[in-house]
Amino acid sequence: NPHIASSSCLPSASQVRPRLLGPRMAATIDSATWTRPSARGKMDVVIGAKATASQPVAPKHDEGCGLSAYMALPTDQYVLIPLPNKAKLEKLDEGHFALRVPEIQIFNVWLRPYVVATVQVTEDGVIIEAQEAKIEGSPEVDRLELNSKTAFSIKVVLKGIEDPRGLRSKLVAQSEVNVWVDP
């Protein structure tokens, strides 16, 4: 793959992870750019958003292992990157990953989103796109038939923008989420 840096620069995901500057996230949400997609059969209620968020990356890093090397990590190393809130990322096959996030409790019902996504490392960035998204949970999830009454589309593009001086590099995420609901 021409987008992958040399293996000497990419020994493991934990060694090339860029240092983010603090917990701040400079985010903007631009609903004017979101275009409502067509209904899907009876699922005519559509909710969606586009958002762009950026996070400054500290200029200090190991020699030769900056932001561009991090962004070029082979996808099989993604499972080595720790996720927040006990989320789990599991490699299913080449380029397909399953993401499970901790369950959400709402009164006596618990929900846990489950997403199978493809991940592609390209010159334009890392493209993560959901191929399957469903809701797992307590028996009420099945009884209410939530998965047959909802559909999701999720796409995230991560780009590393490096300052040639190494002072103001940042990681930018462009996301679009659409949810179709059968009322």
Side-chain angles (χ1 to χ4, degrees), residues 51-132:
T52 300
S54 64
Q55 176 66 46
V57 177
K60 183 180 176 185
H61 56 78
D62 296 334
E63 186 62 37
C65 292
L67 184 57
S68 60
Y70 178 72
M71 295 305 297
L73 277 172
T75 57
D76 63 341
Q77 291 192 18
Y78 283 34
V79 295
L80 303 174
I81 300 171
L83 299 176
N85 301 323
K86 298 181 183 177
K88 293 181 182 174
L89 185 65
E90 173 186 358
K91 183 176 180 179
L92 300 176
D93 58 37
E94 192 59 40
H96 288 88
F97 295 85
L99 174 65
R100 290 185 193 274
V101 297
E103 54 192 57
I104 302 163
Q105 185 82 35
I106 303 172
F107 301 112
N108 64 338
V109 177
W110 63 270
L111 309 168
R112 181 176 42 225
Y114 173 80
V115 177
V116 174
T118 56
V119 180
Q120 299 174 335
V121 178
T122 71
E123 287 181 9
D124 295 328
V126 177
I127 301 168
I128 305 166
E129 193 161 8
Q131 301 300 308
E132 173 188 356

Side-chain angles (χ1 to χ4, degrees), residues 34 36-49 113-116 130-135 141 144-155 176-183:
W34 180 72
R36 184 186 189 277
S38 301
R40 290 186 175 179
K42 290 182 172 182
M43 295 184 216
D44 57 359
V45 175
V46 184
I47 304 164
Y114 173 80
V115 177
V116 174
Q131 301 300 308
E132 173 188 356
K134 64 181 181 177
I135 302 170
V141 171
L144 295 170
E145 300 176 343
L146 292 180
N147 286 308
S148 66
K149 294 180 180 179
T150 57
F152 304 87
S153 99
I154 306 160
K155 183 176 182 178
E176 182 172 3
V177 176
N178 295 303
V179 181
W180 291 263
V181 179
D182 176 357

